[in-house]
C-alpha cells in the first residue's frame, strides 16, 4: 500500500487495458495517469468509443486493467463496493420495484442503517429529485428522465463517497438532458461528493465540471486537463456567457482532431 | 407508404370491434363450410358428422363419463406439469446464471430435447406400467427438457447492467441472484410455463390414446374403436376448449401478477 495522498480520492496510475480479439488484442486505454481530488466534479471527455467508459468501469471494480493500478483512498481497487456508486447510461431502474422500493433497494445489503432512517432518507431523496407523488409508480409508468433520476437517487441512497456516472443523460432528449444537468449540478453543490462523469458532449462537460480530463481517440490517452473556473452556483444562463464560450472554443480545438480521426476510422470500417 | 386507412398498412392496429367481427366471422366460415358439407349429404356422416350430431354426442357424454375423463386428464397434467416445473425452474435459473452449470447440463439436455417424446412411450411402459404414472412420466419427459432451456434463456435476457448496478450497491454474487436475477426473469418464466402447458395437453392425450382406461385421449380412442365419429369430434372440441381456457386464464394471471411488466 502506498502512503495516502492528502486531498486525493482516486489515483489512476499508468492504467492500460487491452481486450482480446482475433489477431492482435485491441488496446483501449494507454497508460492513463491522473488524480481526482476529494469532492471534485470531474468530467472525462472524449470521442465515442475511445475507452473512457472502460476506465470508469475499472474504477468501479467492474473491469480490471491489463497494466497499472487504481487506488481509491490509497487502497487498490479489487472489486465493486458501495463506497463507489455507479450510474449507467441505460435505464437501470428495476421494473419490478416501485419508485420508492427502487430507491430503498440498496439498503437490504447493509445492516448498519435502521429501517426508519432508510424510509426518511428515501423520502428526502424523492423530494430532491422531484418525484413526490410518484412513490408507488412502477418504472413503466414514468418517463426516461424520471427513471434515470430514480437510478441516481438509488445510488445516492447508499451514501457513496464517489459517484461514477457513465453518460447517464446520453439516452435522453436535449431538453430533458438540460434539466437533468441543472439538477445534478444543484445536487453536487448541495452534497459535495466526488463525482467522475463520462461524456462526449463538450457543453455538458463544461457546464458540469470543475475539471475536464480530455481523452484522445482509441487507444485513449490523457490529452490535457482543463480547469473550468466558471462561477457557482451554475444555472443554464452560464452556457451563453463569454467565459463559457471561450472555454468551449478551447476544448473544441483540443477534441477536434480526435473526433475526425474517429470518424475516419469508422469510414474505413475499422 | 403510410396511409390514412390502417387496414392494409403493415403492422398498423385496427379497431377492436372490427378485430372481433373478423375473428368471429372466421369461426362462422369454418362452421358454415362444415354445415354445407354435412347437411347437404356431400360427405358421408361416417367421415364427417353434422354439427348437430356432434352437439348431441357432447350432451350425452356430459350425462355419462365426460367429467370423469376431464378430471383424469387434468389430474395427470397437473401432476406431470407441476413436477416438471418444480425441478426445471430452479435448475433453469441456475443454468442461466452460472456457465459452469450450463456447460454441465446443456449439451446432454439438447441431445434429449430433440428425441421425439412419443418414442419414449414404449420404454416408459416398461418402466412404470400403464397407470397414471405413465402419463405423468410422458408429460414430464415432454415438458422438462425444453422448459429447462426456455427458463435459462429468460435469465439471459436480464440486462448485465442490472447485475453490475447491484454489485456497486455492495451486494454479493449470491444476493444478486436472489434480488435481481430471480425477480427480473419471473414474468418470462411464467410466460414459458403457459407455453409448456400447451405441450402438456398434447402429451397427455397421446399417452392416453396409446395406453389408458380413462381420460380424454382414451375417450377419443374408444369412440374410434366403435366407429362413433361424432364422439371423436366431441372429444376434440372438449380438448380444444380446455386448452384454450387454461391459456386464457394464465394470460389473465400474468397481467394480475406482473402489472409492472414492460411487455405492454
Amino acid at each position: 500500500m502506498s502512503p495516502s495522498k492528502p486531498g486525493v480520492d482516486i489515483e489512476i496510475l499508468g492504467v492500460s487495458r487491452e481486450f482480446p480479439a482475433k489477431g492482435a488484442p485491441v488496446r483501449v486505454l494507454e497508460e492513463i495517469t491522473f488524480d481526482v481530488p476529494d469532492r471534485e466534479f470531474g468530467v472525462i471527455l472524449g470521442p465515442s468509443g475511445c475507452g473512457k467508459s472502460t476506465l470508469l468501469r475499472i474504477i468501479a471494480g467492474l473491469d480490471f486493467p491489463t497494466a497499472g493500478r487504481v487506488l481509491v483512498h490509497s487502497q487498490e481497487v479489487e472489486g465493486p463496493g458501495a463506497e463507489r456508486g455507479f450510474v449507467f447510461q441505460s435505464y437501470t431502474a428495476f421494473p419490478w420495484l416501485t419508485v420508492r422500493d427502487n430507491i430503498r433497494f440498496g439498503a437490504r445489503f447493509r445492516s448498519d442503517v435502521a429501517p426508519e432512517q432508510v424510509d426518511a432518507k428515501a423520502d428526502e431523496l424523492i423530494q430532491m429529485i422531484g418525484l413526490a407523488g410518484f412513490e408507488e409508480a412502477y418504472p413503466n409508468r414514468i418517463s426516461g428522465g424520471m427513471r434515470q433520476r430514480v437510478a441516481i437517487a438509488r445510488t445516492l441512497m447508499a451514501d457513496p463517497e464517489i459517484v461514477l456516472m457513465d453518460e447517464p443523460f446520453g439516452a435522453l432528449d436535449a431538453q430533458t438532458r438540460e434539466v437533468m444537468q441543472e439538477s445534478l449540478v444543484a445536487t453536487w453543490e448541495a452534497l459535495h461528493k466526488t463525482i467522475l462523469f463520462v461524456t462526449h458532449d463538450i457543453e455538458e462537460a463544461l457546464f458540469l465540471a470543475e475539471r475536464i480530463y480530455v481523452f484522445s481517440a482509441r487507444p485513449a490517452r490523457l490529452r490535457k486537463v482543463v480547469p473550468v473556473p466558471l462561477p457557482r452556483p451554475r444555472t443554464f444562463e452560464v452556457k451563453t456567457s463569454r467565459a463559457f464560450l471561450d472555454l468551449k472554443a478551447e476544448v473544441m480545438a483540443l477534441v477536434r482532431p480526435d473526433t475526425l480521426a474517429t470518424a475516419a476510422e469508422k469510414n474505413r470500417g475499422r | 407508404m403510410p396511409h390514412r386507412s390502417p387496414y392494409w398498412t403493415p403492422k398498423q392496429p385496427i379497431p377492436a370491434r372490427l378485430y372481433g367481427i373478423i375473428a368471429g366471422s372466421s369461426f362462422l366460415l369454418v362452421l358454415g363450410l362444415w354445415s354445407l358439407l354435412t347437411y347437404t349429404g356431400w360427405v358421408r356422416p361416417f367421415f364427417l358428422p353434422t354439427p348437430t350430431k356432434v352437439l348431441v354426442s357432447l350432451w350425452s357424454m356430459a350425462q355419462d363419463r365426460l367429467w370423469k375423463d376431464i378430471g383424469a386428464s387434468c389430474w395427470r397434467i397437473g401432476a406431470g406439469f407441476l413436477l416438471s416445473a418444480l425441478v426445471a425452474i430452479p435448475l433453469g435459473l441456475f443454468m442461466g446464471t452460472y456457465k459452469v452449470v450450463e456447460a454441465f447440463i446443456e449439451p446432454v439436455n439438447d441431445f434429449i430435447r430433440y428425441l421425439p417424446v412419443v418414442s419414449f412411450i414404449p420404454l416408459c411402459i416398461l418402466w412404470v406400467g400403464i397407470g397414471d404414472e405413465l402419463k405423468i412420466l410422458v408429460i414430464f419427459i415432454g415438458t422438462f427438457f425444453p422448459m429447462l432451456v426456455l427458463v435459462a434463456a429468460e435469465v439471459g435476457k436480464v440486462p448485465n447492467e442490472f447485475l453490475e448496478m447491484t454489485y456497486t450497491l455492495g451486494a454479493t454474487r449470491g444476493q444478486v441472484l436472489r434480488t435481481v436475477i430471480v425477480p427480473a426473469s419471473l414474468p418470462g418464466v411464467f410466460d414459458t410455463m403457459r407455453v409448456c402447458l400447451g405441450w402438456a395437453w398434447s402429451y397427455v392425450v397421446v399417452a392416453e390414446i396409446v395406453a389408458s382406461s380413462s381420460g380424454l385421449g382414451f375417450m377419443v380412442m374408444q369412440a374410434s374403436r366403435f366407429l362413433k365419429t361424432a364422439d371423436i369430434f366431441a372429444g376434440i372440441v372438449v380438448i380444444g376448449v380446455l386448452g384454450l381456457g387454461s391459456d386464457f386464464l394464465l394470460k389473465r394471471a400474468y397481467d394480475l401478477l406482473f402489472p409492472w411488466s414492460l411487455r405492454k
Side-chain angles (χ1 to χ4, degrees):
Chain A
M1 209 186 352
S2 60
S4 182
K5 268 199 203 175
V8 171
D9 251 9
I10 311 169
E11 295 165 70
I12 297 151
L13 303 165
V15 166
S16 296
R17 178 70 167 103
E18 284 176 356
F19 288 104
K22 263 184 243 161
V26 178
R27 180 162 271 238
V28 296
L29 292 172
E30 181 84 49
E31 293 192 21
I32 307 276
T33 299
F34 65 90
D35 291 346
V36 180
D38 191 23
R39 290 165 193 274
E40 179 188 71
F41 199 134
V43 172
I44 299 176
L45 176 73
S48 50
C50 78
K52 52 198 190 303
S53 295
T54 305
L55 181 63
L56 209 64
R57 292 171 55 81
I58 288 173
I59 299 168
L62 297 171
D63 195 3
F64 296 93
T66 316
R69 303 189 299 158
V70 172
L71 308 183
V72 170
H73 297 134
S74 308
Q75 298 263 21
E76 184 153 358
V77 171
E78 272 160 4
E83 76 288 352
R84 282 158 291 137
F86 203 99
V87 181
F88 290 83
Q89 175 176 3
S90 57
Y91 302 143
T92 53
F94 295 142
W96 63 92
L97 296 176
T98 60
V99 166
R100 178 182 276 124
D101 287 342
N102 256 294
I103 292 170
R104 280 195 298 210
F105 179 75
R108 64 182 84 186
F109 307 123
R110 50 199 299 178
S111 48
D112 55 332
V113 195
E116 313 85 66
Q117 261 177 295
V118 171
D119 288 347
K121 192 162 176 213
D123 285 337
E124 200 179 298
L125 279 165
I126 289 167
Q127 292 290 339
M128 197 180 85
I129 60 171
L131 276 178
F134 290 94
E135 291 91 342
E136 304 307 323
Y138 286 108
N140 64 349
R141 294 273 171 267
I142 60 177
S143 70
M146 286 162 131
R147 282 187 219 176
Q148 209 53 323
R149 279 184 230 191
V150 171
I152 293 169
R154 181 178 51 192
T155 297
L156 292 177
M157 183 77 192
D159 210 10
E161 290 151 42
I162 298 165
V163 182
L164 305 163
M165 307 181 96
D166 188 8
E167 304 200 38
F169 308 145
L172 303 175
D173 64 89
Q175 272 79 34
T176 310
R177 195 182 311 155
E178 291 216 332
V179 175
M180 297 288 284
Q181 288 165 0
E182 277 199 280
S183 84
L184 180 62
V185 159
T187 307
W188 178 77
E189 283 165 359
L191 300 178
H192 258 278
K193 290 188 179 298
T194 307
I195 296 183
L196 199 53
F197 186 107
V198 160
T199 184
H200 60 260
D201 181 334
I202 296 172
E203 277 208 13
E204 182 168 75
L206 285 167
F207 181 66
L208 296 172
E210 293 291 283
R211 260 201 283 192
I212 300 178
Y213 304 92
V214 180
F215 277 28
S216 72
R218 202 170 67 194
R221 293 185 186 83
L222 180 61
R223 204 163 273 279
K224 203 178 175 195
V225 181
V226 181
V228 184
L230 295 170
R232 302 251 175 210
R234 281 183 202 166
T235 56
F236 70 96
E237 285 97 347
V238 80
K239 288 189 182 177
T240 48
S241 69
R242 189 74 249 167
F244 188 93
L245 295 175
D246 287 347
L247 274 169
K248 189 176 168 184
E250 183 193 334
V251 175
M252 266 180 124
L254 262 174
V255 168
R256 184 95 179 133
D258 288 311
T259 315
L260 291 175
T262 307
E265 195 185 358
K266 275 197 183 126
N267 281 342
R268 272 188 276 121
R270 300 265 151 89
Chain B
M1 198 186 85
H3 198 273
R4 262 174 191 285
S5 154
Y7 305 131
W8 293 104
T9 307
K11 298 183 71 178
Q12 282 309 298
I14 58 172
R17 235 179 91 87
L18 180 67
Y19 197 102
I21 291 171
I22 296 176
S25 57
S26 119
F27 260 109
L28 282 179
L29 184 72
V30 173
L31 199 65
L33 269 175
W34 181 9
S35 304
L36 189 73
L37 290 174
T38 51
Y39 290 124
T40 54
W42 284 350
V43 177
R44 281 171 59 194
F46 175 71
F47 294 117
L48 188 63
T50 61
T52 347
K53 275 207 75 176
V54 172
L55 272 179
V56 170
S57 280
L58 203 58
W59 178 252
S60 65
M61 276 156 72
Q63 310 303 312
D64 190 18
R65 49 172 295 165
L66 176 66
W67 305 109
K68 220 185 103 210
D69 284 324
I70 290 179
S73 291
C74 284
W75 142 247
R76 288 158 187 164
I77 287 182
F81 186 73
L82 229 77
L83 218 61
S84 176
L86 230 55
V87 188
I89 293 176
L91 200 59
L93 289 174
F94 272 115
M95 201 169 120
T97 306
Y98 302 111
K99 289 291 163 195
V100 183
V101 182
E102 184 193 289
F104 185 68
I105 295 176
E106 193 164 76
V108 177
N109 186 61
D110 278 350
F111 173 71
I112 301 173
R113 201 156 58 91
Y114 280 103
L115 301 173
V117 180
V118 182
S119 66
F120 280 97
I121 294 180
L123 185 64
C124 292
I125 292 176
L126 281 182
W127 282 348
V128 298
I130 58 165
D132 278 358
E133 297 87 345
L134 171 69
K135 291 84 184 179
I136 293 170
L137 186 60
V138 169
I139 293 171
F140 185 87
I141 293 173
T143 55
F144 176 78
F145 300 100
M147 198 190 277
L148 202 57
V149 179
L150 293 173
V151 170
E154 288 305 323
V155 177
K157 289 183 200 160
V158 179
N160 261 327
E161 285 89 349
F162 281 13
L163 314 187
E164 295 183 332
M165 159 81 236
T166 310
Y167 290 130
T168 66
L169 290 174
T172 63
R173 293 178 293 182
Q175 284 171 326
V176 165
L177 173 59
R178 262 176 287 132
T179 60
V180 181
I181 293 180
V182 170
S185 41
L186 221 50
V189 168
F190 190 85
D191 233 12
T192 298
M193 293 305 118
R194 187 171 60 81
V195 175
C196 293
L197 191 63
W199 301 337
W201 271 105
S202 316
Y203 295 132
V204 79
V205 171
V206 169
E208 286 170 351
I209 285 177
V210 173
S212 191
S213 55
S214 65
L216 292 166
F218 165 76
M219 194 179 92
V220 174
M221 197 58 210
Q222 196 74 348
S224 169
R225 283 192 188 118
F226 291 99
L227 307 177
K228 290 184 185 162
T229 324
D231 283 11
I232 298 182
F233 272 84
I236 290 173
V237 169
V238 170
I239 292 167
V241 168
L242 285 175
L244 201 68
S246 58
D247 193 75
F248 175 79
L249 282 180
L250 286 181
K251 267 187 188 153
R252 288 304 310 272
Y254 180 99
D255 292 341
L256 290 174
L257 284 169
F258 310 110
W260 51 265
S261 164
L262 298 168
R263 188 167 72 168
K264 275 169 281 182

